[in-house]
Structure formats: C-alpha cells, structure tokens
Amino acid sequence: MKPSIAPSVEGGPFVLVLNSGSSSLRFAVFDESPARVLSGKFDRIGLPKSVFLTQSERTEVPVANHGAALEHLLNRLAGMKFRAVGHRVVHGGATYQHPQLVDRALLKELRRLSAFDPEHLPAAIALMERLVEQSPGIPQIACFDTAFHSAMPRVAKLLPIPRRYEAQGVQRYGFHGLSYGYLLSQPGMNGRVILAHLGNGASMAAVRDGRPVDTSMAFTPAAGLVMSTRSGDIDPGLIAFLARSDQMTAAQFTHMVNHESGLLGISETSSDMRDLLARESTDTRAAEAIALFCYQAKKWIGAYAAALSGLDTLVFTGGIGENLPVIRARICDGLSFLGIDLDEQQNTGNAGIISHGRVAVRVIRTDEEMVIARSVCNFLEEKHE
C-alpha cells in the first residue's frame, strides 16, 4: 500500500470534494473555512497507464473504474476524518437547481437522467454508491453544473424541434455552471459579461447583472464550441447521411462526436492545443484545427454581445483560456468594433486584466472544487440551524 498523503494539519473533520470526468477524477480536501488543504487527480481511468497526480507525486496506478480510483484515494487519505463529501454532478436536468443531499431518491433520479448524459453521470453515480457502501454515516452533497443556467430566459432554453419532446426534458441546459459561479463571485463582474471556459470541454455563457442570459452547450455538453474531442454544433443531417454512407449507428455517432471530433478530428494527431501550436507551422491539419477553434469562439463572442446589447467584460478561463495567450489573442483579433483591444504585454504575461480598450478582458483561474466546498459547508450549516 502506498503511504498516506494526508497532510500533517490539525483540525477537521474535513470536506472531500470529488469532480469526476469520463476518464478522470479530480479531488480536493478542504478545512472548515473552507480552505484547500490538498488536491490532485486520477487520469486515464480505465485505460492503460492510468496515473495518480498531486503537486509532489506522479504515480502509475492500475484503476479499472472510478470506484477503484476512489478506493485508492481513500487509502491514501487514511487518518483524515471527513464531515461530508461534495460531488460535481454535470447534469441535474430541470429538477435540481440547488445542492442536494445524496439519498435513494436522488440516486434514482440521476440514474434516469443518465440517458441525458451517459458520458458523465454514470461515473458520478458510481462514486456516490461506493461511498454509501463504505461510509454510510458521511453525508454526501451533489452540486449541479446545470443549476447555474436554470434561470435563463425561456427563449434561450427552447430547442427548435417538435414541442412534444420538451415534455421529455429536451431543452438547452448548459454546463460548466460551477466554474461560471466561481467567476461571477469575483469582484468587478457587473453589467454585460461573456464568460469563456476554454479547456478540453469548452463553452461560453452570456450574463447580465449576474443572471444567465444564454450559453453555448445545450441538451448535452457536446454542443456549442469546437472542443478537444467534441464536435460542438454540427449539421443534424449528418446523422442520416453517415447512417446511409457508413452504416453508422446512433451509438457510433455519439462516440464520434464526443471522442473523435473537435481538435483531434480536424488535426488527426492530437486533442491538446499545446501540441497543435507546436506543429502548426509544419502541419496544415494542426493549423486548420487551431483556426477553426478560434474562429468559432470569435463568432460566439459576437453572438453573445448581440444578445447582451453590448459588452462590458470578457473573461477567459479553463486550461486553454487561462494559459495560452496566443489563442486569446487570435480569438480577440478583429473584435475592436466591440471595444475589445488586448494589451500584448499583459496578455503574454497572463495578467489578470489583459486589455486597454473599453471592454475589460480578464483572465481568471477557475476553481470548481472551491465552489463545491463552499456549497457543502453552507448546506451543512443550513441543516444544522
């Protein structure tokens, strides 16, 4: 057994936050403040050479699924007492607009909603069920990405298909809501704001005076912007065409638009923007993938500026948005008519404010785990009162 990674800190019990992806599991431990005490992640879960990462460690660990990753994590956190566990849940449908205690009724509803998001929900459910078995006395709190967008105007939620499907829950939900909630908690976020979460998953949200107006992801997280391996918006006629030409099934199409498209599909080499930037001068496919990503992002900014009747603040976050100045510059190039003018030196240095025009262009490192920890602490305090 590997040694405990539990830090030598007094106090507790602590809050454990779990943020599960389709093949990853990020975790963080918070004290009662809440302040982060420890964080890390498992990557490539269920794949060869899966790894366990913290600030001081990178270790290959064979974890076949999220339950095995959780068991490894709890062993490594031996000695720490937890007052609660908080989960990021990508899809809460129209039902859940606030954090919820994990119980049988919630798990039953999440299993039903798994049909809406089979890429994310099964992993989150597996973690909750494993913890119910192993630590039934520790409360678990589910925090939903979709909740942030629940107050969008009805016109932004409607999808232009026969109305009868709305009764089955088919609408625009939006995602990355925990990230957007963190960004809006920062100072200076009043007025007309576009939030651009650009990472492996990428989306934008239009916000006016703290209230959501629209967002690029829709019924599933595969919609909207070009992403690392997701297509974003495409012609729905492709489904029938590929069924005829390639005998592609619905399951195969879903796999393609979630795992074989986006930057990876266009470049045919990598889903990592850093790899593509290194190759773009010698590989046309890499150059075209980058150009499409930036072009589509620019279009969404223009669309949301129109929806907001102008723009006061543009925020970049996520792995690409926070760390790649060249991508921010290409997205913003040509948007001076909106009042967006980047300061080259500030942008290159990843400064907090990277503009000198009328619109404040900001770079903010998001913290979904902190949002979950705060939500858990608030939930427990309200239940205690």
Side-chain angles (χ1 to χ4, degrees), residues 95 142 203 237 342 372 380:
T95 306
S203 73
L342 293 195
I372 296 170
L380 295 176

Side-chain angles (χ1 to χ4, degrees), residues 60-71:
E60 285 194 18
V61 290
V63 285
N65 51 48
H66 286 75
L70 177 63
E71 186 170 347

Side-chain angles (χ1 to χ4, degrees), residues 46-358:
L47 300 171
K49 297 184 178 181
S50 51
V51 294
F52 176 76
L53 301 160
T54 67
Q55 287 184 326
S56 59
E57 178 182 347
R58 178 186 176 91
T59 305
E60 285 194 18
V61 290
V63 285
N65 51 48
H66 286 75
L70 177 63
E71 186 170 347
H72 182 90
L73 175 62
L74 294 178
N75 287 335
R76 299 298 303 276
L77 295 176
M80 298 192 80
K81 289 183 62 178
F82 294 105
R83 63 189 294 226
V85 178
H87 297 267
R88 177 195 176 207
V89 180
V90 170
H91 212 312
T95 306
Y96 301 114
Q97 300 177 12
H98 305 283
Q100 299 289 320
L101 182 69
V102 175
D103 56 18
R104 290 182 179 177
L106 177 70
L107 288 170
K108 180 179 179 180
E109 179 64 8
L110 290 181
R111 291 188 197 100
R112 185 187 72 82
L113 289 173
S114 289
F116 289 17
D117 186 17
E119 296 293 318
H120 296 93
L121 280 183
I125 294 169
L127 292 175
M128 296 175 193
E129 291 177 332
R130 180 64 67 91
L131 279 167
V132 168
E133 294 173 2
Q134 292 189 344
S135 305
I138 300 178
Q140 301 183 65
I141 313 300
C143 301
F144 302 93
D145 261 328
T146 44
F148 175 86
H149 306 285
S150 61
M152 285 193 307
R154 176 167 169 75
V155 68
K157 294 181 180 180
L158 289 172
L159 296 180
I161 59 174
R163 185 177 288 269
R164 63 181 178 273
Y165 292 107
E166 186 181 6
Q168 300 178 28
V170 179
Q171 64 171 63
R172 182 181 303 276
Y173 288 102
F175 302 92
H176 287 142
L178 297 173
S179 173
Y180 292 144
Y182 179 82
L183 299 179
L184 287 184
S185 72
Q186 304 306 297
M189 301 297 285
N190 298 322
R192 301 162 298 181
V193 180
I194 295 175
L195 306 171
H197 183 117
L198 307 180
N200 287 329
S203 73
M204 290 190 192
V207 179
R208 181 186 291 111
D209 296 326
R211 292 185 61 82
V213 172
D214 205 346
T215 192
S216 57
M217 287 179 171
F219 180 66
T220 75
L225 298 162
V226 175
M227 300 174 235
S228 291
T229 63
R230 299 179 207 157
S231 64
D233 287 353
I234 54 174
D235 185 342
L238 280 172
I239 300 173
F241 171 76
L242 293 174
R244 294 192 300 268
S245 66
D246 290 25
Q247 290 72 55
M248 184 177 287
T249 65
Q252 289 170 332
F253 184 84
T254 298
H255 180 81
M256 181 190 76
V257 297
N258 279 285
H259 300 287
E260 298 176 347
S261 300
L263 296 177
L264 177 61
I266 296 294
S267 72
E268 298 183 308
T269 56
S270 177
S271 61
D272 192 314
M273 183 66 80
R274 295 165 296 184
D275 293 341
L276 301 180
L277 286 168
R279 296 172 181 156
E280 71 170 329
S281 63
T282 57
D283 189 334
T284 300
R285 299 168 301 170
E288 289 183 342
I290 297 168
L292 181 60
F293 180 93
C294 296
Y295 174 67
Q296 293 290 347
K298 189 193 305 278
K299 286 202 319 186
W300 281 95
I301 291 171
Y304 283 161
L308 293 168
S309 301
L311 183 61
D312 300 308
T313 303
L314 169 64
V315 180
F316 287 100
T317 194
I320 295 172
E322 295 169 14
N323 301 305
L324 295 180
V326 64
I327 298 300
R328 295 194 299 260
R330 294 182 190 183
I331 291 172
C332 292
D333 183 42
L335 295 180
S336 58
F337 73 97
L338 291 176
I340 295 174
D341 289 295
L342 293 195
D343 182 302
E344 183 177 353
Q345 184 176 355
Q346 295 292 93
N347 182 45
T348 302
N350 289 323
I353 298 179
I354 59 171
S355 61
H356 51 62
R358 182 186 60 77

